[in-house]
Amino acid sequence: MNKIKKKIIRYQNRQLHKFGGSSLSDVKCYKRVANIIEKCSKPGDLIVVSAAGITTNQLINWLKFSKINHNLASKFQESIRSYQENLIIKLLSKKKANLLKLFFLSDFTHLIKLLNKPIDNCVYSEIVGHGEIWSARLMSAILEEFGISSQWLDARLFLRAEYSSHPKIDEIASRQLLEKYLQKYYNKRLVITGFIAKNKKGQTVLLGRNGSDYSATQIGALTGVNKITIWSDVVGIYSADPHKVKDAYLLPLLSFDEAKELARLAAQVLHSRTLQPISSTNIDLQFRCSYDPDKGSTKIARTVESNKDIKIITSNDNVCLIEIILFKHQNFLKVYKKINLFLKKNQIFPLAERVNLKNKLIQLCYTKEVAHGIMYELSKIAIIKKNISLRDCFSLVAIVGTGICKNSLYKNCFYQHLRNQPVEFFWHSKKDISLVAVLSTNKTLYLVRELHKSLFLLKKYFKLTLLNKSKINFFYLIRTKYFLYI
Ligand code: ASP
Ligand code: MG
């Protein structure tokens, strides 16, 4: 009885730590992460890793140039090989390093052979997903050398998903397969590859760029961990992308719905599906920085009141519009309903949309990464086959906060800033949690900085005013400072 009980307790207290590519970009980074694992985890905990540094980009370039420029392709091949070998040599003892180098070279030869084949989905995913294999294997070996009992695991052994523009994990099949490994290695740190899964035919399926966060929450949910920490090169989630806006400030707390909306809007910081697997669980989620673990964090809170406050400005300069313009004789509402049903069935909702009844126009906004695939899927609907087209070079700028669409101060400020911009359309979410502008430009850096400056100044005064409960202050703000900034 005791053995089983102990095991169950151990399962219940499990945690999962996920480390992104930026946390594993060089020898120093790997050592730092190994120290974090030693300090913050215990036997039975799960570690999910992305490919080291820019390995995924390098693999994509190698593959791309292998068909068009052999010289360039060899350069990428050489740089991937030397980067991985250097990590292995510098991080492990000679004996262990020799073994891992052998494994790596065997993988690499396999990939070189694959490059001679025509590049289809299967070949592409097999090559591009290999960075995660190398980082999981290496991380586990480092832990072993630290004296921490560990096992690496290729997620394709248990994660099941089929090819699609937004691959979704088959939870039932995956949970069953994973259970075997959890039992087998219940007293080791399991280091698992992010980003990759396998389909029924045994082919590698990629979960989309930055998809390791989704792997992490999905594996966490399948295992029933009670806490997931996503470690990266930034402290947590900020009021804007801190790489773009230097005054952006850290949000120590963000509501689950706000984080979900941020992910849905294709923000760099969160993969679109990250929150989905844990939405109906009690799993705690937090974001921390592997470079400076004590600098702070962002915790995702399950309950937060709707205070119509602004939390985040987000943008994406790589979006496309799928346009459907109907002929006069076509029944607009009927077609629109059909499209919606199709999107729902395939779980491929747009980031924002515009419906113009008068011009019989529907515009659906998607990231460039998935737009072509979705366009292909949509053109299978016979009645819109001849009405559909794709427009490139758009961007999206949005403000996010619970009830934000009901706050006319922020809304007006947002509209004012966009009045001289090439706005294609505005959109707001049904739950009033985000206000979005789709623009026919892909340069929004300056706009985002200006918006951040004005909106967060407004927020500061808004809060002060509420604190002082003084209407005079508030009107003073409207007449003076506020208008200076819009
Ligand atoms: N390595 C993959 C990528 O760069 C997945 C990830 O980083 O989450 O997109
Ligand atoms: Mg990455």
Side-chain angles (χ1 to χ4, degrees), residues 339-350:
I339 293 172
N340 267 324
L341 270 174
F342 184 83
L343 299 180
K344 197 169 170 195
K345 192 174 145 228
N346 293 286
Q347 297 275 301
I348 44 175
F349 301 107

Side-chain angles (χ1 to χ4, degrees), residues 399-450:
I399 51 178
V400 178
T402 309
I404 188 103
C405 298
K406 288 190 183 136
N407 188 324
S408 46
L409 261 185
Y410 294 131
K411 250 169 76 176
N412 289 343
C413 182
F414 186 70
Y415 287 138
Q416 289 275 8
H417 266 280
L418 283 147
R419 72 183 166 210
N420 295 324
Q421 298 288 332
V423 176
E424 186 75 15
F425 62 86
F426 287 104
W427 178 87
H428 70 85
S429 66
K430 277 191 193 123
K431 286 186 179 167
D432 289 324
I433 202 166
S434 70
L435 182 59
V436 180
V438 175
L439 306 156
S440 56
T441 168
N442 48 15
K443 288 189 184 67
T444 58
L445 183 64
Y446 184 71
L447 171 69
V448 168
R449 284 182 183 155
E450 286 299 301

Side-chain angles (χ1 to χ4, degrees), residues 48-62:
V48 171
V49 290
S50 300
I54 54 161
T55 302
T56 310
N57 285 348
Q58 300 275 81
L59 286 166
I60 292 173
N61 283 326
W62 180 30

Side-chain angles (χ1 to χ4, degrees), residues 103-160:
F103 289 141
F104 168 72
L105 286 176
S106 143
D107 291 343
F108 213 53
T109 323
H110 164 62
L111 299 190
I112 292 169
K113 273 192 200 141
L114 277 181
L115 278 178
N116 294 323
K117 290 188 171 181
I119 310 288
D120 59 8
N121 227 340
C122 170
V123 171
Y124 182 91
S125 309
E126 176 74 18
I127 294 176
V128 174
H130 249 78
E132 272 68 14
I133 306 275
W134 299 327
S135 54
R137 191 155 57 203
L138 179 57
M139 194 71 243
S140 175
I142 298 169
L143 291 180
E144 287 274 314
E145 297 227 322
F146 262 54
I148 301 169
S149 178
S150 158
Q151 174 66 42
W152 83 277
L153 208 58
D154 183 338
R156 291 174 298 182
L157 289 169
F158 62 90
L159 278 188
R160 292 290 168 268

Side-chain angles (χ1 to χ4, degrees), residues 87 123 138 190 200 248 255 264 310 377 432 435-436 446 463 470 476:
L87 286 174
V123 171
L138 179 57
L190 266 180
K200 285 192 190 117
S255 83
R264 199 195 65 75
I310 182 158
E377 281 169 42
D432 289 324
L435 182 59
V436 180
Y446 184 71
K463 272 200 168 157
S470 150
Y476 177 73

